[in-house]
């Protein structure tokens, strides 16, 4: 049976899973402590998601990851559905930023997100090394959004 659990203490315990989505630890720490952390559990932890209150009724997904052996099994989508239900009424919209031109954009589109705006050179300006995802060098951040 699938369960969802909020992590309120010792959030760093999940750093290895968080680093799958965001490989620079100091960048993860920028949002981990002010964020709310949720796990999807199905006979063990399968996925994690960190969301932050960005004001103006916007909830931002800062990190979402499923363990490699648990990807493409529907867990990521279920975790987003859980977040939507939990925060509906409290927030108007969920926003998320990811590498422009990556496959992850398609994951969010499958979850009902639409493209909103681009932050030029985000990965060049904010990370201390090149980030390569499936052979694509990340440069710009593509934001997507979903009204809830
Ligand atoms: C992106 C990620 C969180 C998706 O989680 P997941 O558990 O694999 O997602 P799901 O199985 O629920 O996928 C939902 C849908 O999106 C599709 N999808 C998942 N990952 C995808 C990808 N990388 N590219 C394209 N489509 C993808 C699935 O095929 C599925 O489509 P369907 O509904 O037609 O079957 C996961 O692949 C992951 O941890 N990736 C590495 C970390 C990462 O890049 N995180 C995002 C950083 S912004």
């Amino acid at each position: 049976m699938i369960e969802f659990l909020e992590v309120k203490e010792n959030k760093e315990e999940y750093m290895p899973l968080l680093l799958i989505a965001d490989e620079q630890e100091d960048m993860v720490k920028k949002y981990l402590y002010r964020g709310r952390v949720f796990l999807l559990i199905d006979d063990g932890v399968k996925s994690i998601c960190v969301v932050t209150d960005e004001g103006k009724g916007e909830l931002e997904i800062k990190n979402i990851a499923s363990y490699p052996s648990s990807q493409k099994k529907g867990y990521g989508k279920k975790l987003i559905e859980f977040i939507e239900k939990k925060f509906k009424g409290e927030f108007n919209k969920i926003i998320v930023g990811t590498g422009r031109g990556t496959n992850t954009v398609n994951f969010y589109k499958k979850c009902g997100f639409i493209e909103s705006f681009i932050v030029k050179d985000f990965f060049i300006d904010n990370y201390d090394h090149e980030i390569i995802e499936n052979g694509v060098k990340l440069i710009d951040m593509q934001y997507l959004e979903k009204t809830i």
Side-chain angles (χ1 to χ4, degrees):
M1 197 187 71
I2 292 179
E3 290 175 290
F4 300 93
L5 190 77
E6 181 165 9
V7 180
K8 294 194 172 170
E9 286 169 3
N10 302 325
K11 294 174 178 177
E12 316 79 41
E13 195 182 314
Y14 296 95
M15 192 57 81
L17 184 50
L18 295 164
L19 289 171
I20 294 174
D22 194 351
E23 66 185 51
Q24 196 173 307
E25 193 165 326
D26 62 319
M27 291 297 282
V28 174
K29 286 181 171 168
K30 281 188 181 169
Y31 52 75
L32 186 59
Y33 304 107
R34 72 180 179 97
R36 290 182 67 179
V37 180
F38 297 93
L39 301 176
L40 182 152
I41 296 167
D42 185 15
D43 195 15
V45 175
K46 304 298 179 188
S47 313
I48 195 165
C49 184
V50 183
V51 293
T52 56
D53 181 348
E54 295 299 312
K56 299 174 290 169
E58 292 181 357
L59 183 74
E60 180 162 349
I61 296 175
K62 290 288 192 184
N63 190 309
I64 182 163
S66 299
Y67 280 114
S69 60
S70 299
Q71 290 176 5
K72 304 262 172 87
K73 292 185 174 170
Y75 291 130
K77 199 172 179 178
K78 284 199 175 72
L79 188 49
I80 287 188
E81 283 165 6
F82 165 79
I83 298 285
E84 280 174 30
K85 278 200 198 106
K86 181 166 184 68
F87 290 100
K88 195 176 165 69
E90 197 180 335
F91 290 87
N92 304 322
K93 228 196 228 188
I94 302 182
I95 62 170
V96 63
T98 190
R100 185 184 185 187
T102 62
N103 285 332
T104 317
V105 171
N106 296 320
F107 163 70
Y108 291 117
K109 286 183 177 172
K110 291 247 166 140
C111 294
F113 285 73
I114 53 166
E115 290 183 10
S116 52
F117 62 93
I118 286 163
V119 181
K120 285 289 253 184
D121 296 328
F122 178 85
F123 291 93
I124 309 290
D125 295 342
N126 290 282
Y127 285 78
D128 62 16
H129 64 289
E130 278 190 352
I131 312 283
I132 312 284
E133 195 182 302
N134 296 321
V136 178
K137 181 183 167 190
L138 304 192
I139 299 171
D140 303 329
M141 175 87 100
Q142 171 73 60
Y143 266 87
L144 297 100
E145 63 177 49
K146 182 171 187 178
T147 301
I148 56 170

